[in-house]
Amino acid sequence: MPEADDKSAQDYAPQVPQKSEAFFLRGSGALDWGMKNRLARVFDPSSGRTVMLAIDHGYFQGPTSGLERVDLRIVPLLPYADSLMLTRGILRSVIPPSSPKPIVLRVSGGASILKELSAEGVAVDIEDSVRLNACAMAVQVFIGGENERDSILNMTKVVDWGNRYGLPTLAVTAVGKDMKRDARYFRLATRICAELGAQVIKTYYVEEGFETVTAACPVPIVMAGGKKIPEIEALRMAYKACQEGAAGVDMGRNIFQSEHPEAMIQAVRAVVHRNETPEKGLALYEELSNRP
């Protein structure tokens, strides 16, 4: 055992009150230390936002365009992402264990594009999430879908697991092909997820009323990128979402399906973290794209 220190302790600084730092993410002040610490890795504390790179599409779509070779297309993007959303299969088989990037692990699944997509279950247990050093668990929720109830209970099961072990839950709001994408629907979907315990919500941007979606949700919302659109439109969408209350983006296809993915993710970072205008973001994209 170490020797006892015979020098009298004196540096108590009784005149200096101990500081207690307020946590930077909305609705997260009452969470435990471990959960806050994981959220502070997913979100940049200096901006309060995240550029999450979503590459989990293969769990129901297979090798979609841009994800045919994750090792060649995605691994070079890791230095520019704040966090990575993916499945355990790709994480174990492709992502270098030396990567320091926080992992948001897809834990729901069970359906493919050939069947009813809302027929999901919990496909990864909490032990494997902990084993993989995940910083959050992502689960799909189909509000208004055929299997709405089951998907909500999938989420609450994951929330309970996460609360027990200190892992946040990211609820991903899915929109069926016959559902109207408007602020009223997304207020409903995001609020239900937050009310039932999800610590972060991923949802889509809408042109009219998105600020009411973020205002009505007591926990952070990250914007889903959705289908590939022209770079300037994707940058405008990310910019508007953040200016209207989103805590960043969870973007996939608009990055890895871009002609220049490394340039695009850096342009998205400029818009999300530095509040650069979409036009300046596009100028950065074009500048980086033209470099040899």
Side-chain angles (χ1 to χ4, degrees):
M1 63 180 293
E3 295 182 18
D5 193 343
D6 57 3
K7 184 177 180 180
S8 177
Q10 298 178 2
D11 195 13
Y12 297 107
Q15 73 281 7
V16 181
Q18 178 175 307
K19 292 182 179 180
S20 181
E21 178 184 284
F23 196 60
F24 66 96
L25 285 177
R26 68 185 300 175
S28 304
L31 300 179
D32 201 1
W33 191 94
M35 194 172 288
K36 288 180 180 176
N37 182 260
R38 290 181 175 92
L39 287 170
R41 295 180 60 202
V42 173
F43 293 85
D44 186 337
S46 63
S47 66
R49 296 173 182 166
T50 186
V51 174
M52 190 183 300
L53 180 59
I55 63 164
D56 59 327
H57 307 67
Y59 91 97
F60 71 99
Q61 287 186 327
T64 190
S65 175
L67 294 179
E68 298 93 341
R69 287 289 300 272
V70 173
D71 57 330
L72 300 180
R73 191 77 167 178
I74 300 301
V75 171
L77 304 180
L78 294 183
Y80 309 108
D82 293 310
S83 53
L84 188 62
M85 180 178 174
L86 77 174
T87 63
R88 61 179 172 181
I90 291 296
L91 179 60
R92 281 193 166 106
S93 61
V94 181
I95 303 302
S98 56
S99 171
K101 296 300 176 179
I103 298 302
V104 178
L105 191 67
R106 164 66 66 174
V107 300
S108 65
S112 78
I113 54 174
L114 303 178
K115 297 288 186 178
E116 168 57 43
L117 287 177
S118 68
E120 284 195 356
V122 178
V124 181
D125 65 19
I126 185 63
E127 285 81 6
D128 214 24
S129 300
V130 172
R131 191 178 296 117
L132 288 168
N133 200 27
C135 278
M137 299 175 290
V139 58
Q140 207 82 8
V141 181
F142 296 85
I143 302 299
E146 183 176 330
N147 295 284
E148 176 189 78
R149 178 180 181 275
D150 289 343
S151 73
I152 291 175
L153 294 181
N154 290 340
M155 185 200 74
T156 58
K157 181 177 183 178
V158 172
V159 167
D160 287 341
W161 282 350
N163 287 341
R164 194 174 306 137
Y165 289 90
L167 269 70
T169 296
L170 169 68
V172 183
T173 61
V175 181
K177 59 184 178 181
D178 298 323
M179 296 181 196
K180 186 178 180 181
R181 293 191 182 197
D182 59 14
R184 182 180 181 184
Y185 171 80
F186 289 120
R187 286 195 300 267
L188 173 70
T190 57
R191 185 59 176 262
I192 287 174
C193 293
E195 294 266 357
L196 292 175
Q199 287 81 21
V200 185
I201 317 292
K202 174 181 176 178
T203 199
Y204 291 95
Y205 179 75
V206 288
E207 287 287 345
E208 294 185 12
F210 185 74
E211 71 279 2
T212 68
V213 178
T214 58
C217 185
V219 299
I221 283 180
V222 292
M223 184 207 78
K227 294 181 179 179
K228 176 71 175 73
I229 54 179
E231 280 73 14
I232 184 60
E233 293 182 21
L235 292 169
R236 283 177 181 149
M237 183 171 63
Y239 178 81
K240 289 179 180 179
C242 289
Q243 298 305 309
E244 294 171 21
V249 301
D250 187 10
M251 193 172 280
R253 286 169 288 182
N254 278 298
I255 292 174
F256 62 72
Q257 289 181 353
S258 172
E259 186 176 354
H260 303 283
E262 289 189 41
M264 186 57 182
I265 193 172
Q266 291 178 76
V268 172
R269 288 189 64 81
V271 166
V272 170
H273 288 304
R274 303 201 302 269
N275 293 311
E276 296 284 10
T277 64
E279 291 72 24
K280 286 187 177 180
L282 183 65
L284 176 62
Y285 169 77
E286 292 173 343
E287 175 191 344
L288 294 172
S289 299
N290 291 325
R291 287 183 182 176

